[in-house]
């Protein structure tokens, strides 16, 4: 287990996650087709070339999922009870095939659970950043975590 328990977090804690991931054409193609997304910007090289971007855009929901996945090992692995929600999701810059993404997480809110003794809610601001330093995805993620076992 590498995630932290509820009572090990403090508002302002920030993590630069070590795992980085280069997005491949296969990632984009498989995710887009698995989710039945027919958007030509993700699948049709000629349509994408004719767009303002001039190339295939990586599916935004893949980018979001990858961002969350990059954060799990350092945040909730082994301590998660449940993800409660994702809020204020934005994608301020596009992701292209070949971009390498990494993630950061900052704790923005913590509160003990009112209905579940020994558990609490942590909210992080997650950010995915490309190799050019551009934020490509950002959201707030709230999760219910276990407190550290006594002993």
């Amino acid at each position: 287990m590498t995630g932290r328990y509820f009572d090990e977090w403090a508002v302002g804690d920030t993590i630069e996650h070590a795992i980085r991931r280069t997005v491949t054409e296969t990632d984009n193609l498989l995710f887009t087709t698995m989710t039945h997304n027919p958007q030509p910007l993700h699948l049709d090289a000629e349509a994408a070339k004719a767009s303002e971007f001039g190339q295939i855009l990586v599916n935004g929901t893949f980018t979001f999922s990858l961002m969350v996945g990059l954060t799990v090992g350092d945040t909730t692995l082994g301590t998660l009870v449940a993800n409660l929600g994702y809020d204020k999701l934005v994608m301020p810059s596009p992701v292209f095939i070949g971009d390498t993404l990494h993630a950061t997480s900052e704790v923005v809110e913590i509160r003990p659970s009112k209905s579940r003794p020994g558990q609490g809610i942590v909210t992080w601001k997650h950010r995915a950043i490309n190799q050019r330093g551009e934020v490509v995805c950002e959201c707030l993620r709230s999760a219910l975590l276990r407190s550290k076992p006594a002993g």
Side-chain angles (χ1 to χ4, degrees):
M1 184 200 79
T2 54
R4 293 189 206 170
Y5 291 101
F6 167 71
D7 41 348
E8 295 177 318
W9 290 103
V11 171
D13 284 353
T14 303
I15 298 171
E16 177 101 16
H17 302 282
I19 298 174
R20 295 176 181 266
R21 177 77 150 62
T22 300
V23 179
T24 68
E25 183 177 12
T26 302
D27 294 329
N28 185 61
L29 178 65
L30 288 176
F31 191 90
T32 299
T33 57
M34 282 189 323
T35 57
H36 295 282
N37 182 338
Q39 176 53 253
L41 287 172
H42 304 318
L43 296 169
D44 181 334
E46 293 305 312
K49 199 181 299 182
S51 76
E52 66 183 90
F53 302 102
Q55 60 184 307
I56 293 264
L57 288 177
V58 171
N59 185 317
T61 52
F62 172 80
T63 301
F64 163 71
S65 296
L66 177 59
M67 174 183 71
V68 172
L70 291 172
T71 70
V72 166
D74 295 322
T75 57
T76 61
L77 186 62
T79 61
L80 179 73
V81 176
N83 282 311
L84 301 177
Y86 300 91
D87 296 304
K88 298 184 180 179
L89 175 65
V90 295
M91 297 180 183
S93 297
V95 175
F96 301 109
I97 292 166
D99 280 353
T100 298
L101 305 183
H102 72 278
T104 63
S105 298
E106 178 185 357
V107 177
V108 295
E109 184 180 353
I110 294 175
R111 65 181 175 84
S113 174
K114 293 176 184 169
S115 61
R116 294 175 164 252
Q119 298 178 0
I121 298 166
V122 178
T123 302
W124 296 269
K125 179 181 276 190
H126 292 316
R127 287 190 176 106
I129 302 159
N130 67 18
Q131 72 277 8
R132 293 178 295 281
E134 300 163 332
V135 174
V136 297
C137 188
E138 179 178 285
C139 79
L140 296 177
R141 172 184 172 214
S142 295
L144 181 64
L145 301 180
R146 292 177 191 87
S147 294
K148 194 171 187 172

